[in-house]
Amino acid sequence: MIASLPMYDRPANAAAHDRLWAGIRNRLRDAGVKAPEALDREVLYRDSWSRDDLVLGQICVLPWQQWFKGKLTLIGASDYGVEGCPPGFFNAVMVARADDPRDAKTLVKGRFAANARHSQSGYGAAMNFATRMGLVLPDPVITGAHDASVAMVAQGKADFSFIDAHTFWMQQRDLPAAQACRIVHRTRPVPGQSFVTKLGNDADLYFAAINDAIAGLDQADRDTLGLRGIIRLAPEAYDIAIAPGVAFPG
């Protein structure tokens, strides 16, 4: 069995995530569902989506729509109260160095750092932004993580990056490189990081367990995670525009 909450799990909030999982786990067990004692932080997040023993995971809207719809049970979208987004949605922020005065249209002529080509916030949102603006983004340097992308921008090794807005909120609290960066632009909202389980599991049962566990967090953990709730979104909300060039690693 495996459970992971990888999308926003960081050293600074790992203990709060552990307590969130404990609340979910205990409620699942009370309902007769077998659940692992602890979160798995060893299995790569994208590998967990294909596991037939997946108890709980999180997935981004782009890989859900493009590769995993119909292969996992969608439970609900996480709500982090992201600026400019309705409940259960998130967006990406285009970031540049704080001392770089260029606007978005000028920055896109420079060096682009992206965490992954299967990331909605890091790549899909950037490509869709460029398409709407009639711009062409340079081929990105793939960094493997939003933290690495922000570090490249802060160090002057890249001119801009697109970062999950909630991730950037966390980075500004615990990553010095983020404090050297500014937000240049916010992209359009799309469904937030969503909770999933293996195909065939009872989505309503899981939704109730997650909802109750979030409500049971103390204020300190709420403030640390920024997590406000879990939201049921209409299935069609996940039908986002797929940007050219997205790719899932083989």
Side-chain angles (χ1 to χ4, degrees):
M1 294 184 295
I2 182 173
S4 64
L5 299 173
M7 295 307 184
Y8 298 128
D9 194 25
R10 306 170 65 82
N13 64 25
H17 271 121
D18 287 338
R19 287 187 284 272
L20 172 61
W21 167 244
I24 298 170
R25 177 200 65 208
N26 293 343
R27 287 165 174 83
L28 289 175
R29 288 177 176 177
D30 288 345
V33 176
K34 292 182 179 179
E37 186 67 21
L39 291 172
D40 188 297
R41 292 186 169 97
E42 300 298 324
V43 175
L44 193 62
Y45 69 93
R46 62 177 182 259
D47 292 340
S48 70
W49 300 331
S50 299
R51 291 274 295 259
D52 60 8
D53 60 347
L54 178 65
V55 175
L56 185 66
Q58 287 173 306
I59 195 167
C60 181
V61 58
L62 193 158
W64 163 257
Q65 186 205 22
Q66 190 76 339
W67 298 290
F68 287 92
K69 183 162 64 173
K71 298 179 181 179
L72 292 166
T73 295
L74 185 68
I75 302 165
S78 53
D79 178 29
Y80 287 90
V82 176
E83 181 180 335
C85 297
F89 284 70
F90 84 129
N91 56 21
V93 292
M94 182 184 189
V95 301
R97 290 183 303 282
D99 61 358
D100 187 337
R102 289 177 290 176
D103 62 13
K105 289 185 178 181
T106 307
L107 280 165
V108 297
K109 300 174 183 178
R111 296 161 296 179
F112 174 27
N115 61 325
R117 288 185 185 271
H118 64 275
S119 168
Q120 168 60 23
S121 55
Y123 185 77
M127 296 300 291
N128 288 334
F129 158 77
T131 298
R132 287 194 298 272
M133 300 290 288
L135 303 170
V136 177
L137 263 64
D139 196 44
V141 174
I142 301 300
T143 66
H146 280 311
D147 281 7
S149 297
V150 166
M152 285 195 69
V153 173
Q155 295 164 8
K157 296 178 181 178
D159 295 296
F160 70 95
S161 186
F162 281 73
I163 308 295
D164 176 308
H166 186 64
T167 295
F168 193 64
W169 175 81
M170 295 185 296
Q171 288 172 332
Q172 289 179 309
R173 293 164 37 146
D174 64 29
L175 187 69
Q179 297 167 17
C181 296
R182 67 181 178 92
I183 294 175
V184 179
H185 175 80
R186 288 182 178 269
T187 67
R188 294 180 178 180
V190 296
Q193 304 292 348
S194 293
F195 296 99
V196 291
T197 182
K198 70 178 181 180
L199 193 64
N201 282 350
D202 186 339
D204 289 340
L205 186 155
Y206 273 77
F207 186 97
I210 296 167
N211 186 64
D212 290 350
I214 294 171
L217 291 171
D218 65 23
Q219 192 59 51
D221 285 344
R222 287 173 177 272
D223 292 343
T224 296
L225 297 175
L227 180 59
R228 298 186 178 186
I230 178 172
I231 306 293
R232 285 191 178 96
L233 300 178
E236 56 268 25
Y238 288 85
D239 293 334
I240 64 169
I242 299 297
V246 300
F248 194 74

